[in-house]
């Protein structure tokens, strides 16, 4: 079965063809990063307009690269939530047009489920049930995946997402947007014990995450340092130490929840997903933690961590075979539980 996936929830216009939810046939991504980087973050209206311009070409390329036509496609999987509402509506409206014109079923896909499904494309043996940790620019969610289309939420962020916390820290250090990957490299050059950042907890909700205190601590540190030294610029060693210490606290905040979970029940494998799953320090920490409890862990390849449509098509396959086709009245949602 061939699924055409379409993804426009944030700043990547993406289309892909996936076979049977497990095999990438084509995967095209048009990134808007250059457009938004001058503003230091994604500008929602600009994102919607850029999707509108790119989407026809991106979908054509995905079909061409797969050497198929719309006739060969079994259904159209579309991200309908969560994300920037204008951006989502652009992709959804396009997918509806395609579905109407071709008569192919329209399959709604939750973006977070899509991130998890990126792992199905590279780990043939991976099957639910498992525990998934989705860490991206917009989400930080700890989930129990009971089966391909049945999820329970275990914990989530109360404020910033993990990727947002990396991007804001990078901005504070004067690094370009998006700063996650740059922070990752810089952290490898610094001393993670140089600065003591606190690992936060949420009162009465031990599995939830909070990153805003960590971000504020970094902002105060940088302001105080600049005021004390009179230098507007931070020296490179100090920046690397900040990146390493900040990353250490952020990674420990994430893995501490996983540790609590594993202490209670270590019968299920751990699956990492989302843009921040590309972080080398987090990948190592999750691997070490899983090994110490003797549980399997699965990481997506770097190429499938960030937003893409192959993951949407992969999840779309499982939604389709569970009977989740939507009417053409389907709406988009900026927020929706998984
Ligand atoms: O999954 P994604 O493409 O978009 C959302 O669904 O939000 O995630 C993008 C986020 C950005 O915040 C970016 O800075 C972060 O993932 N990111 C990283 C790394 N690569 C991307 N964060 C930390 N370390 C990385 N290597
Ligand atoms: Zn995403």
């Amino acid at each position: 079965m061939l699924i055409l996936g379409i993804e426009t929830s944030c700043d990547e216009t993406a289309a892909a063809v996936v076979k049977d939810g497990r095999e990438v046939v084509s995967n095209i991504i048009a990134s808007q990063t250059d457009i938004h980087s001058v503003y230091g973050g994604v500008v929602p209206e600009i994102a919607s307009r850029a999707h509108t311009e790119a989407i026809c070409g991106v979908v054509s390329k995905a079909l061409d690269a797969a050497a198929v036509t719309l006739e060969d496609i079994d259904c159209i999987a579309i991200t309908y939530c969560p994300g920037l509402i204008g951006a989502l509506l652009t992709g959804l409206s396009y997918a509806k047009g395609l579905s109407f014109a071709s008569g192919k079923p329209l399959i709604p896909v939750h973006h977070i489920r899509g991130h998890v499904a990126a792992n199905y494309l590279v780990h043939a043996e991976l099957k639910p049930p498992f525990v998934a940790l989705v860490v991206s620019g917009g989400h930080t969610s700890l989930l129990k995946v009971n089966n391909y289309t049945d999820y329970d939420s275990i914990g989530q962020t109360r404020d910033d997402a993990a990727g947002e916390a990396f991007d804001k820290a990078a901005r504070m250090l004067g690094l370009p947007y998006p700063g996650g990957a740059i922070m990752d490299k810089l952290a490898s050059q610094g001393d993670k014990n140089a600065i003591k950042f606190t690992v936060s907890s949420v009162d009465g909700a031990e599995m939830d995450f909070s990153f805003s205190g960590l971000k504020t601590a970094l902002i105060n540190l940088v302001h105080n340092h600049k005021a004390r030294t009179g230098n507007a610029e931070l020296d490179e060693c100090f920046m690397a130490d900040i990146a390493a210490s900040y990353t250490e606290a952020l990674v420990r905040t994430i893995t501490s929840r996983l540790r609590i979970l594993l202490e209670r029940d270590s019968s299920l494998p751990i699956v990492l997903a989302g843009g921040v799953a590309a972080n080398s320090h987090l990948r190592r920490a999750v691997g070490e933690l899983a090994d110490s409890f003797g549980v399997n862990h699965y990481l997506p390849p770097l190429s499938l961590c960030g937003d893409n449509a192959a993951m949407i098509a992969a999840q779309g396959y499982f939604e389709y075979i569970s009977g989740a086709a939507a009417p053409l009245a389907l709406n988009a949602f900026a927020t929706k539980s998984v």
Side-chain angles (χ1 to χ4, degrees):
M1 191 173 282
L2 285 181
I3 318 291
L4 171 67
I6 299 175
E7 154 65 38
T8 64
S9 69
C10 190
D11 60 344
E12 262 91 31
T13 314
V17 176
V18 164
K19 191 174 170 206
D20 298 335
R22 293 280 179 176
E23 188 188 322
V24 181
V25 186
S26 69
N27 190 19
I28 305 294
I29 304 172
S31 174
Q32 303 173 9
T33 302
D34 291 348
I35 304 173
H36 298 289
S37 63
V38 289
Y39 303 101
V42 178
V43 182
E45 184 178 332
I46 295 176
S48 308
R49 290 175 183 275
H51 286 309
T52 300
E53 287 172 11
I55 193 150
C56 289
V58 167
V59 171
S60 294
K61 267 194 192 161
L63 293 171
D64 289 350
V68 296
T69 67
L70 201 50
E71 276 301 293
D72 304 310
I73 296 293
D74 290 286
C75 65
I76 299 160
I78 175 71
T79 308
Y80 79 114
C81 68
L84 301 173
I85 196 66
L88 286 165
L89 285 168
T90 307
L92 177 58
S93 300
Y94 179 87
K96 283 184 182 187
L98 218 54
S99 168
F100 180 69
S102 65
K104 311 284 176 179
L106 182 69
I107 311 298
V109 175
H110 193 292
H111 184 77
I112 293 180
R113 291 188 183 190
H115 272 300
V116 173
N119 283 278
Y120 301 142
L121 295 166
V122 286
H123 304 297
E125 73 285 14
L126 176 63
K127 292 186 176 70
F130 54 79
V131 169
L133 179 62
V134 183
V135 274
S136 72
H139 319 283
T140 308
S141 303
L142 190 54
L143 305 158
K144 167 123 183 282
V145 182
N146 302 311
N147 70 47
Y148 292 102
T149 57
D150 178 25
Y151 280 56
D152 285 327
S153 175
I154 301 171
Q156 60 215 310
T157 184
R158 292 297 184 101
D159 38 57
D160 293 346
E164 209 178 342
F166 273 123
D167 293 341
K168 286 179 178 167
R171 189 174 181 168
M172 210 44 221
L173 297 179
L175 302 168
Y177 173 86
I182 306 165
M183 285 285 284
D184 189 349
K185 283 207 187 79
L186 196 59
S188 301
Q189 296 155 22
D191 172 7
K192 65 181 182 182
N193 299 313
I195 299 145
K196 290 274 167 278
F197 287 111
T198 315
V199 172
S200 66
S201 56
V202 179
D203 264 357
E206 61 182 354
M207 303 311 271
D208 280 355
F209 306 87
S210 167
F211 298 107
S212 67
L214 180 61
K215 179 189 66 188
T216 307
L218 176 102
I219 292 170
N220 290 339
L221 177 89
V222 171
H223 280 155
N224 290 343
H225 181 83
K226 286 184 177 173
R228 207 172 52 246
T229 59
N231 291 334
E233 301 283 320
L234 301 172
D235 83 68
E236 270 179 33
C237 280
F238 188 49
M239 272 174 60
D241 282 349
I242 294 177
S245 305
Y246 187 86
T247 300
E248 166 70 6
L250 208 149
V251 166
R252 271 204 291 132
T253 303
I254 294 171
T255 52
S256 62
R257 275 53 165 182
L258 261 186
R259 179 180 290 281
I260 298 173
L261 205 66
L262 286 166
E263 275 164 358
R264 285 180 195 155
D265 178 5
S266 57
S267 63
L268 296 177
I270 308 279
V271 172
L272 193 61
V276 182
N279 187 273
S280 60
H281 310 275
L282 180 63
R283 291 170 85 89
R284 193 166 49 242
V286 168
E288 286 169 2
L289 184 65
D291 288 348
S292 72
F293 281 86
V295 302
N296 285 337
H297 75 284
Y298 296 90
L299 306 173
L302 298 193
S303 59
L304 292 175
C305 288
D307 288 349
N308 65 84
M311 68 186 199
I312 300 304
Q315 182 60 25
Y317 168 79
F318 295 104
E319 302 285 349
Y320 181 53
I321 59 175
S322 78
L328 287 175
L330 176 69
N331 211 338
F333 302 91
T335 57
K336 199 171 183 47
S337 61
V338 69

